[in-house]
Amino acid sequence: MHQLDSSTLKFQLGRQDILKLETILTERLSIELAEELEARQDVNQQFEAVLLEVDTMSRRTTSWQDFNQNILRLLCSLPAIKAGWIGSPNDEGRFIVNFGYHADDVAKALAQFEGEVTLPSVIEKNSNALGATGLAFRSGQVQTIDSFVAKPGAKPWLGIAQKTGIRSAVSIPILDNQRIP
């Protein structure tokens, strides 16, 4: 139950009032939890639909460029996804963007931080390799940044994230037949 003792003494609430308040709070929390679970199910269904569409697309004969652009379009149609890009490391190990979708805001913000921030790297000794992209490339596993503020490896991109309103990120490595990025 809720700890209302010290607060209730100030307002001289009776036991009936406290029980009524606890009932109201408990009901409200139950409603919010149910709505959150329903919303989560809805988002999961949308993600599953996108995955099925990606699977269907992979079976069609399309160009590699069209396939990548369509994957990004589908991903960016999901709730709360602002932008996406597919990249690969150049000869120096720094990622370059090969395909982007709604990435203009990120590119503009990146230009404002020119000289301070660069795209992720795959070279472990580089501080830009500790973010989701560098880790995903090196591990071959999906990597997430739940909060640019809270994750130390995401600090190099915190300013850009804040400027564009991005709070979290996911990096999904594209693997070949040998499961190598």
Side-chain angles (χ1 to χ4, degrees), residues 99-121:
F99 305 98
Y101 197 84
H102 292 307
D104 294 340
D105 289 342
V106 176
K108 287 176 191 171
L110 194 57
Q112 290 178 357
F113 289 89
E114 192 171 345
E116 298 174 44
V117 173
T118 57
L119 287 174
S121 172

Side-chain angles (χ1 to χ4, degrees), residues 133-169:
T133 302
L135 292 173
F137 185 85
R138 288 195 315 277
S139 70
Q141 298 178 354
V142 174
Q143 299 292 321
T144 60
I145 296 174
D146 296 325
S147 167
F148 276 91
V149 173
K151 189 161 188 166
K155 294 292 184 207
W157 303 283
L158 178 59
I160 293 168
Q162 289 174 327
K163 181 96 174 146
T164 57
I166 295 172
R167 295 184 302 182
S168 58

